[in-house]
Amino acid sequence: MCCVEMKKLLIATSMSLPLLLLAAWQAFFSPNIEFLRPSLTAAWIVHPALPTSGFFETEYHSPDVVFRRHFEIEAPAGSFAVRVTTLGVAAVELNGRKLASNETGESRNWKFGREFELGPFLKHGSNVLSVRVAYENGPPALLLEAGGRLGGTLETDDRWRAALEEDRGRGAPAAVVMRDEAFLAGKQNFLRRSAYFPLYALTLGLLALLIVYALVPVRFKPWLEHAPESSQPSTFLGRHALAAIIFTLVAISQLRNAIHFDWQSGMADATSHLGYALYVLQTWQVPFPQEASQAYHPPLFYFLAASVGAVAEAAQRGFLIPKSIQLLNATFGLLNILCSWLLLNKLFPNNVSARNLGFSVAAFLPVGFYVNPNITNEVLSGSLVSLAIYLSCVFLFGRSLNWKSALGIGFVCGLCLLSKYTGLFVFVSIASLLALRTLSEADSDVRLRTAGVLALFLAVVVAISGWFYLRNFVHYGDPFIGNWDSASGFRYEQPPGYRPASFYVDFGSLFWHIPERVRWSGFWEAIYGSLWMDVPGYLVAPESRGRDSLGSVILWLALLPSVGIVVGFLSACRHLLQREWNHPFFIAVTTSFWTLMSVMLFTLETPYYSTAKAVFLLSLIPAIAAFAGLGLDGMCRRLGRLRFLLYANLAGLYGSILYLFSVR
């Protein structure tokens, strides 16, 4: 690789470092982030069933928890030090003697822990080590690490006991974080409870074998090396008929859902979103964040909703305002799917298989089905970002840059930033692409023209949306203020209230448990589960018939297309790094990476069960379609004659989704 290409690669790769470094700093150093650092020897423990009343209140105070460990030693140690790290303020006692406490207001970062010397206070025979932890913002947690001959005895695990301070008894066995808490227990799905579970497990194993076989390169399958390539349809109808059928089915289903679905039984914050729109309808002004729980959102969706409401009021049909907004959202959701098809045609003009496979995944994603009929700003935001991704791939590649391109893309990106904060990432992606082109261009005239396009693009975006973020910064010192910030006038807590390292690495338990458990069990499980199933219950209520059984089957069948999406993403990254970085994949890859990283950072900042969900990824549906098309098409080629099994899997998945996500 030449020096110029190495320079481009270095610049492009370094674009991911700021978010990665920010995530690492917040997790391991920031005392405001409730991340429980990993330990090689001990486990974080909490009370197994801490009362959760008040977790949705403006003010919440957790009861203190007393952790105790009874142990015996034959001979006291001369010196024995332990390191105690607590989420909260700790008071340590050994055999009734208070050793130390950081309750005096010492300005010490809790993540570094404190060392205590136990040796002088140990006695022959029975000993009791007690740690009382007080944390007003959430569940108290304890990690005790020790070495030497007592290390395996005292280090925190389920041999410790936990009791609320007001309890008179010895309490209950402490819960190892993300393993023993009450909200994770007893939530096996019907497949795991069934007497036929071994057969179901065998089926999942066969599906996994099929996926593995589809990932093995063709060069290791000599019987496929000379297999003929599938022919491509030559007529317009042949190239687009399947996509038209899929779009028609999905459009009918989603519009029907919007008509028949009762918005009040959907999203918990739908009333607040409607209230924002009605406020705009009455005043035609943008509220400040402290005026309502959802008033921190950028105002575009609410002005559009208010306009629809004004039409309904003019027709003396004010009672139809919520239903009109639902239909508006369903229309925007279909626009999102349409942008996916247009992007696929741009990326794969001569590959009908990749287009159809990618489009089918985008069209049948359950996250679109269960969000689109609700009253929320997520759908408009996702559709505008999708449109920006498509337009950037059209106007920034395959044609010369000009001021019209900058105006058009800048206008859409400005609207993205006026619809939701997640519009920031497609804007940064496009700006980064233009900046990289400017820095790497050898021709001075082309470099100057590219810099001019970049400047005009930035100016248009700032002119459209800059006022809103400047207002936030002036009043609150934060352009991206939300109702999770105390400056907004709101304050709420939700369980679990902490994030261990295992939350971001574990995956797999969702195949044996009910769908809603994924909100607690892990980040990737939450993203996967809410992408393919209505985990929050926005459309398919938890008590709905077939939700548990059919939802679990959907999560199983979705494993194959999900692997295809991941394979496609990695293939796109490899294309950018090894072949050509200046490619439409750049927009899809970088927007996806930054959006997903932002969701991960958000779950660190607000460690609640409601923050880890794929609803925030609606804007990535075209990118998901591109990655799915790329990955699944490659898997089909590596399956050879067995590709019919992949098609059968997708057909069963899509049929199940259409049935479960239809309002009846």
Side-chain angles (χ1 to χ4, degrees):
M1 186 179 294
C2 67
C3 293
V4 175
E5 292 298 321
M6 283 294 294
K7 181 179 178 181
K8 294 178 183 178
L9 177 61
L10 181 62
I11 295 174
T13 305
S14 65
M15 293 169 59
S16 62
L17 291 180
L19 276 179
L20 293 175
L21 293 175
L22 176 61
W25 180 83
Q26 285 193 324
F28 292 98
F29 298 101
S30 174
N32 298 322
I33 301 300
E34 295 152 319
F35 177 77
L36 309 181
R37 63 171 178 82
S39 172
L40 296 177
T41 58
W44 281 92
I45 57 174
V46 294
H47 192 281
L50 195 70
T52 58
S53 60
F55 267 52
F56 296 94
E57 301 296 331
T58 302
E59 296 295 334
Y60 169 75
H61 180 74
S62 169
D64 295 353
V65 176
V66 179
F67 299 95
R68 292 187 180 92
R69 178 75 172 97
H70 294 258
F71 62 100
E72 293 190 2
I73 59 174
E74 295 181 359
S79 175
F80 184 71
V82 297
R83 178 162 292 277
V84 176
T85 308
T86 58
L87 180 58
V89 179
V92 181
E93 292 184 2
L94 178 60
N95 298 323
R97 179 165 182 171
K98 188 173 182 179
L99 301 184
S101 173
N102 55 9
E103 292 176 314
T104 56
E106 297 176 5
S107 58
R108 182 178 179 85
N109 191 333
W110 66 269
K111 291 189 173 181
F112 300 148
R114 299 187 66 192
E115 189 172 279
F116 295 86
E117 177 57 53
L118 305 185
F121 312 104
L122 292 170
K123 63 182 182 179
H124 175 77
S126 179
N127 292 264
V128 180
L129 179 61
S130 172
V131 182
R132 179 174 61 85
V133 184
Y135 187 53
E136 62 179 8
N137 295 325
L142 169 67
L143 175 73
L144 188 145
E145 299 164 295
R149 60 189 179 92
L150 290 180
T153 300
L154 290 183
E155 287 169 340
T156 43
D157 55 22
D158 54 8
R159 293 175 297 176
W160 282 67
R161 301 189 71 83
L164 301 182
E165 189 179 30
E166 59 268 21
D167 290 347
R168 295 183 179 273
R170 296 181 60 193
V176 173
V177 164
M178 298 308 299
R179 194 191 75 182
D180 303 327
E181 295 101 320
F183 52 73
L184 292 175
K187 298 182 182 297
Q188 293 180 343
N189 61 19
F190 96 103
L191 298 172
R192 185 65 183 87
R193 299 191 305 267
S194 171
Y196 299 101
F197 172 70
L199 180 60
Y200 295 141
L202 177 62
T203 303
L204 182 61
L206 292 175
L207 176 60
L209 287 176
L210 176 67
I211 294 173
V212 171
Y213 180 78
L215 297 178
V216 176
V218 173
R219 65 178 178 272
F220 297 112
K221 304 171 183 174
W223 55 92
L224 293 181
E225 288 183 355
H226 304 292
E229 292 286 338
S230 58
S231 59
Q232 301 293 329
S234 57
T235 64
F236 179 85
L237 185 62
R239 294 193 300 270
H240 301 281
L242 181 58
I245 293 173
I246 290 174
F247 183 80
T248 302
L249 285 174
V250 172
I252 292 173
S253 177
Q254 295 204 13
L255 290 173
R256 180 181 175 277
N257 286 348
I259 292 172
H260 295 286
F261 179 63
D262 179 9
W263 67 274
Q264 292 176 303
S265 63
M267 287 184 165
D269 54 6
T271 301
S272 298
H273 286 290
L274 180 61
Y276 190 163
L278 294 178
Y279 173 90
V280 173
L281 178 61
Q282 296 171 359
T283 65
W284 295 104
Q285 296 178 355
V286 179
F288 284 91
Q290 69 269 20
E291 296 184 43
S293 63
Q294 300 299 320
Y296 69 92
H297 283 296
L300 180 60
F301 166 74
Y302 306 98
F303 273 82
L304 290 176
S307 300
V308 171
V311 173
E313 283 194 339
Q316 298 183 347
R317 294 291 188 273
F319 62 91
L320 291 178
I321 291 178
K323 189 59 61 179
S324 301
I325 298 175
Q326 287 180 269
L327 287 169
L328 179 68
N329 264 352
T331 303
F332 283 129
L334 295 176
L335 173 63
N336 199 345
I337 298 174
L338 183 60
C339 287
S340 302
W341 176 245
L342 296 174
L343 179 65
L344 287 165
N345 279 271
K346 172 68 176 177
L347 294 175
F348 310 112
N350 300 315
N351 191 335
V352 176
S353 173
R355 296 203 304 268
N356 287 337
L357 288 168
F359 182 68
S360 68
V361 171
F364 285 106
L365 273 178
V367 66
F369 276 84
Y370 71 75
V371 174
N372 291 351
N374 280 275
I375 297 179
T376 174
N377 61 341
E378 298 283 357
V379 185
L380 172 65
S381 172
S383 302
L384 287 173
V385 173
S386 298
L387 181 61
I389 292 174
Y390 167 67
L391 291 179
S392 65
C393 292
V394 170
F395 293 114
L396 300 183
F397 300 93
R399 61 177 67 186
S400 60
L401 291 176
N402 54 60
W403 62 271
K404 294 181 181 179
S405 302
L407 285 176
I409 301 174
F411 177 75
V412 175
C413 282
L415 295 182
C416 291
L417 283 165
L418 274 185
S419 62
K420 206 169 186 294
Y421 293 158
T422 48
L424 172 70
F425 306 112
V426 69
F427 161 68
V428 173
S429 179
I430 295 171
S432 299
L433 174 68
L434 293 173
L436 284 174
R437 285 184 178 181
T438 302
L439 294 173
S440 60
E441 182 56 57
D443 188 309
S444 59
D445 292 336
V446 176
R447 183 168 62 250
L448 183 62
R449 183 167 65 250
T450 305
V453 169
L454 172 60
L456 182 57
F457 166 75
L458 295 175
V460 172
V461 172
V462 171
I464 293 175
S465 61
W467 63 271
F468 177 79
Y469 295 91
L470 179 62
R471 185 194 73 159
N472 283 352
F473 181 77
V474 170
H475 284 85
Y476 307 102
D478 184 358
F480 302 101
I481 190 172
N483 61 3
W484 55 88
D485 294 318
S486 57
S488 68
F490 293 88
R491 174 79 168 81
Y492 67 96
E493 288 283 336
Q494 293 176 348
Y498 48 79
R499 297 292 191 210
S502 59
F503 182 80
Y504 296 99
V505 295
D506 288 353
F507 183 84
S509 66
L510 81 166
F511 296 117
W512 321 118
H513 295 88
I514 58 176
E516 51 263 33
R517 184 181 181 272
V518 303
R519 297 187 294 179
W520 314 83
S521 57
F523 177 79
W524 298 109
E525 289 200 345
I527 296 298
Y528 177 95
S530 56
L531 190 67
W532 292 104
M533 182 57 197
D534 184 7
V535 170
Y538 292 162
L539 181 73
V540 184
E543 65 274 9
S544 298
R545 182 180 179 182
R547 172 186 166 91
D548 180 13
S549 56
L550 195 54
S552 298
V553 171
I554 287 173
L555 292 179
W556 279 32
L557 294 176
L559 184 61
L560 189 149
S562 298
V563 172
I565 294 169
V566 174
V567 170
F569 175 80
L570 296 176
S571 298
C573 292
R574 183 176 63 181
H575 181 98
L576 294 173
L577 295 174
Q578 296 182 357
R579 297 179 60 184
E580 180 187 12
W581 71 269
N582 193 12
H583 186 275
F585 282 151
F586 182 96
I587 302 295
V589 167
T590 55
T591 303
S592 300
F593 174 80
W594 284 326
T595 302
L596 196 58
M597 281 297 300
S598 74
V599 176
M600 187 178 292
L601 287 170
F602 188 48
T603 64
L604 272 175
E605 183 179 353
T606 53
Y608 312 148
Y609 71 83
S610 65
T611 57
K613 55 187 178 183
V615 174
F616 300 135
L617 307 184
L618 278 176
S619 57
L620 299 183
I621 286 183
I624 290 173
F627 302 144
L630 188 62
L632 291 175
D633 182 59
M635 293 172 71
C636 282
R637 291 196 302 271
R638 290 186 286 271
L639 283 171
R641 295 176 183 271
L642 294 179
R643 68 181 63 188
F644 78 92
L645 294 174
L646 184 147
Y647 298 147
N649 179 284
L650 294 180
L653 173 64
Y654 300 155
S656 301
I657 290 170
L658 273 180
Y659 177 79
L660 184 61
F661 291 91
S662 294
V663 176
R664 287 180 288 275

